[in-house]
Amino acid sequence: MSVRRLDKNQPESFQFTPETEAWTVELLKKYPDDKKASAVIPLLWRVQEDCGGWLPEPALRAVAKRLEMAQIRVLEVATFYTMFNLSPVGKYYVQLCGTTPCMLRGAEDLAAVCKEVIGPQNTVTEDGLFSWVEVECLGACANAPMVQINKYYYEDLTVESFRKLLQDLKDGKEITPGPQNGRQGSCPEGGPTTLHAYCKPGGAA
Amino acid sequence: MPEIIIDGKQIEVEDGLTLIQACEEAGVEIPRFCYHERLSIAGNCRMCLVEVVGMPKPMASCALGVNDLRRGPNGELPEIRTNTPTVKKAREGVMEFLLINHPLDCPICDQGGECDLQDQAMAFGIDSNRYAENKRAVEDKHIGPLIKTIMTRCIHCTRCVRFMTEIAGVEELGLIGRGENAEITTYLERGITSELSGNVIDLCPVGALTSKPFAFTARPWELRKTETIDVMDALGSNIRVDARGTEVMRILPRNNDAINEEWISDKSRFIWDGLKTQRLDRPYLRDENGKFRPASWDEALAVVAKRLRDTQADKIAAISGDLCAAEEVYALKMLLDRLGIKNRDCRSDGTKLSDQYGRAGYLFNSTIEGIEQADALLLIGCNPRHEAAVMNARIRQVWRHSDLQIGLIGEPVDLTYDYHYLGAGPETLEEVAKGANPFADILRRASHPMVIVGQGALTRADGAAVWSAVARLAAELGIIRPDWNGFNVLHTAAGRVGALDLGFLPVEGGLDRDGILAAAETGEVEVVYLLGADEFDPAPLAKAFVIYQGTHGDVGAQHADVILPGAAYTEKNGTYVNTEGRVQFANRAAFAPGQAREDWAIIRALSGVMEQPLPFDNETALRAAMITAFPHLGQQDEIAPSEATGLTALAKAGGRLDKAPFKQAHPDFYLTNPIARASRVMAQMSALKQEELKRENNDKEATGTDG
């Protein structure tokens, strides 16, 4: 983690989309009238989605105004949580898990692929398609190494499968979330084995 | 009341205390950085760790209440130890962590010598550091012309954030980022717009937030410290003036729970650069070409004396100003009495208050501390945020911690707390008085209701009628009771109550301020003596012969024919009576510049030249004479009880009310007196505030950030 600052290039203005506004009205029903600030994290998250994966400064002000809270309070939240991006990200935002289990299973090789295919961390490729960042544990250690691209996890990666994944995205092909080595969920590799010993075909023991 | 044992000593403490407070009662000092008794508890510095018997780890004593402790299995009292090796080790550990990233720049740090971290490192720290890695460095933030930031020194205690949010009520400071990257800043490094922001300098336990105007000018131990009284508003906040030689270097608050607690406003704190600029440091006379030329005291006083002697008494008038101490007003009054001059007034801003209904008619009768009991409050033509910023913080505290209902008649300004906006002018006032407004019921039902009328409502042409209407409202709604007087006048001038007490008002047949100004315009009044009077449009004085005795080349001096340089509030001893009627004594911290003299001495000298010598030769004799004539002025730090009976007559006085809405007495907080107008810092703050207001208005008008 490093010091987090708002991006130098900011749009002039920001407006909630009608859908987000309607969604916000529903969201605020969960909280008492004088506790609108409670909605700050969900609303920032929604706004980040609307803005293509990052939070422009005018959006922070708009959220502050919508929730009747001080602008500095919104900035505090936005800078505290690393899941809020303060600079633009690629259309495909790759979060590479670099924590111990993934690292032991080859996350560093995946990082090298990112550097080669996408470029340095936190920079968007010229075509606007990719940016990547190394993050702390995403909680999918059983399928290490893994990355998160936008909302989904892509697990059990190898250098080759990860490279292919990125190429497919570049080519505009559909990619399937989950393990990339044919494994189902986090079942043992090569099919279920553990229960074979006493789980007779045709019925449970 | 729980009993506990602290370091082997058994004591009984009040319910709800924290361990750190209990330890203080037991006479044990606990080191701390983030804890402050007037702020909420953060518990993040960990410096106040103590050992609680039975608990496996040291506990933060600021965040643990005495009521949270339980007796032991055999009924033993809870026991706290603060002098064990565990505690020592814990403190040393915390200190070592704090010092990991704290720079060793004490020799160039303005906090040096009065730094909590420095002091506590001496007392509780260790002499070496096991941390060999690079230290953290943090970008400095711009947060306005008052507060200098060196953020690398910040230890993240968040006292400043809590102060601004809780006490000042302006949510502008915040802690962004997290962990090692946490930083204190304002949104996009905008300047702080609170009137109380300077207090974060005192609160900061390290040198992260220091005074920008004071930066690199002096060390605390080389300053001469004088305890005195502030005159920027009528609260009489207790201050300490630090001077070196003849120069005032800075102003700090003193604790006084009855008035300012431990805060002062930015105007009180940063005014001192105004004491050095635009000063009148020698007498001046206006020559034939209309230009000022320097003169000697003898020459100037001779000109004044001749003019006063050659003019009929009814063509002479005197107006005393906002910052005058009681002594000089009393001296001037004696001189006017001897010369038979009836035209005199101390109400230079044109307020219609007078002493004819007794002191209760013009005092803040509930007292500032009384606000804490109030459960309903009506503000009339009054913006306490500008007129008494420190008191506004107290209203905010009461509002935060109780269900105090606040109503406002006047300009709908941001007061840092919510209020019922009742209306803009006298019509609403009458409506409430008649009980036609729902807020009347709130006042009537309250156990300690208060009304505060400000100078914005009293300086109007119909001010006397408004004054009476407020008293009528108070009477109708039962706000004045045998044990509680909720009728309050909030003054804006530090010298006003003192001058009203002394009766520096037109003698029967004499003219008041408006009369004097009108008569000066027509030529009926030929000579006007201004004793530091600046708060009016001086145009009507163009024709008259004006004697200006004061400190700054400000409004009052514009049309002066003779200038007699006086002493500012830090340069003289004097008695001030605050808006509650509390008598306080201001001490001299430095001497007046050049040939400027203390004001009473100038008046005494003038009386000598006029061969009407006043019966005192020194300050003590003058004060003794004044106290003999007005005994309550001798009771320092006391509020002489005032009978509320006069208020009945005031309520009956009546008068025609205008329909015009009430205006604020001080739309610009920063430029309210000659010293402030001479101050560069105040000018910068005023400009910053205008800019922020403009931004706020832009934000309010839908500009694309609208939902």
Side-chain angles (χ1 to χ4, degrees), chain B residues 26-45:
Chain B
V28 178
E29 201 192 333
I30 307 286
R32 83 282 304 262
F33 293 110
C34 72
Y35 175 77
H36 190 279
E37 57 269 275
R38 295 192 203 273
L39 302 176
S40 65
I41 292 163
N44 54 10
C45 77

Side-chain angles (χ1 to χ4, degrees), chain B residues 405-470:
Chain B
Q405 298 285 318
I406 301 164
L408 175 74
I409 304 176
E411 273 186 55
V413 287
D414 176 9
L415 291 176
T416 73
Y417 38 82
D418 296 337
Y419 54 80
H420 305 275
Y421 184 62
L422 308 180
E427 282 179 339
T428 319
L429 175 62
E430 294 225 287
E431 196 183 293
V432 178
K434 278 186 209 134
N437 191 300
F439 200 78
D441 286 331
I442 296 178
L443 285 170
R444 201 178 276 134
R445 277 200 306 268
S447 71
H448 292 90
M450 283 177 74
V451 283
I452 302 178
V453 58
Q455 298 306 315
L458 298 170
T459 48
R460 303 148 42 106
D462 64 343
V466 174
W467 188 29
S468 167
V470 175

Side-chain angles (χ1 to χ4, degrees), chain B residues 248-390:
Chain B
V248 173
M249 305 303 291
R250 63 170 177 176
I251 296 172
L252 297 174
R254 275 189 298 140
N255 192 62
N256 186 335
D257 283 341
I259 302 172
N260 57 319
E261 296 174 280
E262 60 190 88
W263 323 120
I264 51 173
S265 72
D266 289 351
K267 195 163 44 172
S268 309
R269 184 185 296 267
F270 293 106
I271 193 73
W272 47 266
D273 70 325
L275 292 168
K276 300 172 192 174
T277 46
Q278 296 271 66
R279 281 306 291 270
L280 303 171
D281 55 359
R282 58 182 311 167
Y284 288 93
L285 292 173
R286 198 183 285 276
D287 63 15
E288 309 76 49
N289 307 326
K291 292 256 160 60
F292 282 120
R293 68 171 174 86
S296 70
W297 270 111
D298 288 343
E299 198 184 352
L301 288 178
V303 170
V304 174
K306 180 168 187 309
R307 195 70 198 217
L308 289 176
R309 253 196 311 259
D310 293 353
T311 314
Q312 282 176 1
D314 60 348
K315 295 197 169 174
I316 306 175
I319 302 177
S320 77
D322 287 359
L323 309 182
C324 293
E327 281 80 358
E328 60 233 34
V329 175
Y330 182 65
L332 183 61
K333 187 183 173 206
M334 277 172 106
L335 180 64
L336 297 178
D337 283 346
R338 294 198 166 201
L339 301 175
I341 297 166
K342 293 176 178 170
N343 307 323
R344 51 176 100 159
D345 206 336
C346 63
R347 300 164 296 185
S348 64
D349 59 1
T351 182
K352 301 295 181 289
L353 297 167
S354 75
D355 60 356
Q356 79 188 95
Y357 304 107
R359 277 186 105 208
Y362 58 84
L363 289 186
F364 198 94
N365 293 302
S366 310
T367 74
I368 296 168
E369 233 174 354
I371 295 172
E372 265 153 41
Q373 285 171 280
D375 48 1
L377 171 63
L378 177 60
L379 300 166
I380 301 164
C382 162
N383 176 0
R385 188 171 168 189
H386 284 185
E387 292 160 28
V390 175

Side-chain angles (χ1 to χ4, degrees), chain A residues 1-3 5-6 13-16 57 60-62 65 70-73 75-76 79-80, chain B residues 139 161 165 171 173-178 181 183 185-188 190 699 704-707:
Chain A
M1 258 197 71
S2 58
V3 175
R5 291 273 185 269
L6 296 178
S13 65
F14 167 83
Q15 253 177 323
F16 290 119
E57 188 271 327
L60 298 182
R61 271 187 284 146
K65 193 177 170 196
Q71 295 171 351
I72 183 74
R73 294 281 103 88
L75 183 67
E76 283 177 334
T79 54
F80 185 91
Chain B
E139 292 160 35
V161 178
T165 309
E171 285 190 90
L173 269 181
L175 181 95
I176 63 163
R178 62 198 287 183
N181 302 112
E183 295 173 292
T185 187
T186 55
Y187 190 74
L188 305 184
R190 287 178 190 158
D699 274 0
T705 55
D706 207 25

Side-chain angles (χ1 to χ4, degrees), chain B residues 323-333 531 549 567 572-573 576 599-600 603 622:
Chain B
L323 309 182
C324 293
E327 281 80 358
E328 60 233 34
V329 175
Y330 182 65
L332 183 61
K333 187 183 173 206
L531 180 61
Q549 175 181 342
K572 61 188 172 199
N573 296 321
Y576 285 93
D599 297 83
W600 71 267
I603 295 163
L622 162 61

Side-chain angles (χ1 to χ4, degrees), chain B residues 642-695:
Chain B
S642 44
E643 286 296 321
T645 43
L647 292 174
T648 326
L650 172 61
K652 287 198 187 108
R656 242 192 104 245
L657 288 167
D658 195 357
K659 280 187 183 161
F662 296 132
K663 293 228 168 58
Q664 293 182 62
H666 291 320
D668 190 336
F669 168 74
Y670 297 100
L671 304 174
T672 56
N673 62 48
I675 312 177
R677 285 187 288 265
S679 157
R680 177 194 295 259
V681 177
M682 289 300 116
Q684 285 171 341
M685 283 309 294
S686 172
L688 174 79
K689 186 82 186 192
Q690 295 309 321
E691 208 176 288
E692 285 298 322
L693 282 179
K694 216 182 284 169
R695 193 204 313 278

Side-chain angles (χ1 to χ4, degrees), chain B residues 11-300:
Chain B
I11 64 160
E12 203 178 348
V13 293
E14 273 173 57
D15 274 309
L17 286 196
T18 57
L19 293 188
I20 204 168
Q21 289 169 317
C23 288
E24 223 143 78
E25 296 216 338
V28 178
E29 201 192 333
I30 307 286
R32 83 282 304 262
F33 293 110
C34 72
Y35 175 77
H36 190 279
E37 57 269 275
R38 295 192 203 273
L39 302 176
S40 65
I41 292 163
N44 54 10
C45 77
R46 314 312 288 176
M47 193 63 203
C48 63
L49 294 174
V50 296
E51 198 182 338
V52 179
V53 174
M55 297 222 188
K57 289 179 182 179
M59 304 300 295
S61 61
C62 70
L64 194 64
V66 287
N67 301 79
D68 300 336
L69 301 179
R70 268 180 290 170
R71 283 170 181 255
N74 307 316
E76 304 97 338
L77 290 178
E79 190 178 350
I80 300 166
R81 294 179 188 156
T82 68
N83 50 9
T84 58
T86 318
V87 173
K88 183 166 187 290
K89 201 173 156 200
R91 285 174 183 170
E92 286 173 359
V94 170
M95 185 55 83
E96 196 177 355
F97 270 119
L98 287 174
L99 292 179
I100 281 178
N101 277 319
H102 191 81
L104 268 178
D105 61 352
C106 305
I108 57 146
C109 176
D110 263 323
Q111 192 86 352
E114 48 186 11
C115 174
D116 288 357
L117 188 63
Q118 204 177 30
D119 295 348
Q120 292 180 32
M122 293 295 288
F124 307 106
I126 48 173
D127 60 350
S128 60
N129 186 356
R130 289 175 284 179
Y131 190 76
E133 286 76 10
N134 285 336
K135 290 197 174 204
R136 183 183 68 124
V138 184
E139 292 160 35
D140 293 342
K141 309 289 184 293
H142 170 81
I143 57 173
L146 303 179
I147 304 163
K148 182 181 161 185
T149 65
I150 300 100
M151 297 320 281
T152 305
R153 295 178 188 150
C154 176
I155 59 168
H156 304 148
C157 69
T158 69
R159 273 187 187 179
C160 52
V161 178
R162 282 176 283 146
F163 174 82
M164 293 307 292
T165 309
E166 292 160 17
I167 311 277
V170 176
E171 285 190 90
E172 286 178 350
L173 269 181
L175 181 95
I176 63 163
R178 62 198 287 183
E180 192 187 23
N181 302 112
E183 295 173 292
I184 301 286
T185 187
T186 55
Y187 190 74
L188 305 184
E189 301 200 21
R190 287 178 190 158
I192 301 181
T193 59
S194 165
E195 292 77 14
L196 294 168
S197 64
N199 293 301
V200 300
I201 297 169
D202 294 341
L203 286 171
C204 185
V206 294
L209 306 177
T210 53
S211 166
K212 212 177 232 177
F214 178 65
F216 303 136
T217 53
R219 283 303 198 180
W221 57 84
E222 57 186 19
L223 298 172
R224 194 175 61 248
K225 298 157 179 78
T226 311
E227 303 202 332
T228 182
I229 301 302
D230 172 57
V231 299
M232 292 302 124
D233 51 37
L235 295 182
S237 297
N238 290 200
I239 53 169
R240 193 186 90 191
V241 176
D242 287 6
R244 189 174 57 189
T246 58
E247 226 180 328
V248 173
M249 305 303 291
R250 63 170 177 176
I251 296 172
L252 297 174
R254 275 189 298 140
N255 192 62
N256 186 335
D257 283 341
I259 302 172
N260 57 319
E261 296 174 280
E262 60 190 88
W263 323 120
I264 51 173
S265 72
D266 289 351
K267 195 163 44 172
S268 309
R269 184 185 296 267
F270 293 106
I271 193 73
W272 47 266
D273 70 325
L275 292 168
K276 300 172 192 174
T277 46
Q278 296 271 66
R279 281 306 291 270
L280 303 171
D281 55 359
R282 58 182 311 167
Y284 288 93
L285 292 173
R286 198 183 285 276
D287 63 15
E288 309 76 49
N289 307 326
K291 292 256 160 60
F292 282 120
R293 68 171 174 86
S296 70
W297 270 111
D298 288 343
E299 198 184 352

